[in-house]
Amino acid sequence: MINHLQDTITLNNGLQMPGMGLGVFQVANDATAEMVKNAIEVGYRSLDTAAIYGNEVGVGEGIKQALASTGLNREDLFITSKVWNDGLSSDETKAAYEESLQKLGLDYLDLYLIHWPGKDKFAESWKALEDLYKQGKIKAIGVCNFTVAHLENLLSFARIKPVVNQVEFHPRLQQAELRSFCKEHQIQLEAWAPLMQGGLLEDETISKIAAKYGKSNSQVILRWDVQNGVITIPKSVRRERMIQNADIFDFTLTEAEMAIINAMNLEQRVGPNPDEYDFAL
């Protein structure tokens, strides 16, 4: 379990990934540079973007500005992006990777993910990721939104095991079977929409726990993630909210409080069900 914003979790290939980072989903490209610069300046070291977000250029500019203002090196950061489902052939995947690198202004990515499994279109794309990894162009490869069935399919032919499965995860969608499978196969679970896209910020059950510690609902939920060993990437455009989200290492939820939050599960999604939607354009 991490005890600081910059603490890391060891992935199955030995790479160290920060246990908490910043997501930039639904942030306009022209607003992303300042957001990313602020995040790095206040202590975030992991940044998560994707080709489909349309803001890789802004992320790259923010990184550039932050490295200049902080004196940090590129190697101090952990940068993730994702290949979209409009082209999952081997050549298309490799071209998409190079395009993301160019937009970000980087020489390599720490983690590159297949964004959605689609209708079993990921086999060729995964093999392309393996090639890029073996060539030293990516430090780690993984997937997003893969169910147990998708992972079983992938593991049946993969030469390299994914290090991460980034999925929707929050108190209303706890995915116990998937978490158990990932743990068994040393695949690190990472949460997107950890705050249910704002849907739990006024929840009374969490508010009661938050009041005890003088914390916000978001801080309690992110602390719950940390204590579950789940990497989390909350999104916040505002600098003060970034600081607040990271202020979760001075309290610990009791076993009883963890159980109360665990009992909130309804398998309720705010995003699409990976088994029911094909994101190919």
Side-chain angles (χ1 to χ4, degrees), residues 176-250:
E177 181 187 5
L178 179 62
R179 287 170 64 194
S180 178
F181 184 91
C182 287
K183 184 175 181 179
E184 177 186 351
H185 292 274
Q186 296 83 50
I187 300 170
Q188 174 64 47
L189 201 74
E190 181 179 11
W192 63 260
L195 306 178
M196 203 178 173
Q197 295 183 347
L200 293 170
L201 298 185
E202 304 297 330
D203 182 85
E204 291 185 4
T205 300
I206 294 173
S207 293
K208 289 178 182 177
I209 298 173
K212 171 186 171 182
Y213 295 103
K215 295 291 184 179
S216 67
N217 279 25
S218 61
Q219 288 170 316
V220 169
I221 294 167
L222 295 173
R223 181 69 203 179
W224 175 77
D225 278 5
V226 166
Q227 289 182 218
N228 274 312
V230 175
I231 291 176
T232 183
I233 46 171
K235 181 192 80 175
S236 181
V237 177
R238 291 161 44 204
R239 187 182 181 110
E240 59 269 25
R241 185 59 59 82
M242 295 177 194
I243 295 170
Q244 183 189 79
N245 284 344
D247 186 21
I248 61 170
F249 300 104
D250 58 352

Side-chain angles (χ1 to χ4, degrees), residues 87-199:
L88 291 182
S89 72
S90 179
D91 287 346
E92 287 170 330
T93 297
K94 292 176 180 178
Y97 177 75
E98 295 297 338
E99 183 176 353
S100 286
L101 275 189
Q102 182 181 17
K103 288 181 176 179
L104 288 160
L106 301 176
D107 296 325
Y108 69 93
L109 286 180
D110 297 276
L111 180 60
Y112 197 48
L113 307 174
I114 294 178
H115 206 151
W116 287 88
K119 300 297 184 185
D120 296 329
K121 295 181 177 180
F122 53 81
E124 194 173 345
S125 185
W126 184 255
K127 291 173 183 176
L129 262 60
E130 291 178 325
D131 290 344
L132 291 166
Y133 176 74
K134 288 183 175 181
Q135 292 166 12
K137 295 184 176 182
I138 313 171
K139 290 195 172 183
I141 55 177
V143 295
C144 296
N145 305 301
F146 272 46
T147 65
V148 170
H150 294 131
L151 290 172
E152 287 176 335
N153 185 347
L154 177 62
L155 293 175
S156 72
F157 62 80
R159 297 166 293 170
I160 299 170
K161 184 185 296 186
V163 298
V164 160
N165 185 19
Q166 185 187 120
V167 299
E168 182 181 346
F169 176 81
H170 46 71
R172 295 291 188 199
L173 180 68
Q174 298 183 27
Q175 309 216 57
E177 181 187 5
L178 179 62
R179 287 170 64 194
S180 178
F181 184 91
C182 287
K183 184 175 181 179
E184 177 186 351
H185 292 274
Q186 296 83 50
I187 300 170
Q188 174 64 47
L189 201 74
E190 181 179 11
W192 63 260
L195 306 178
M196 203 178 173
Q197 295 183 347

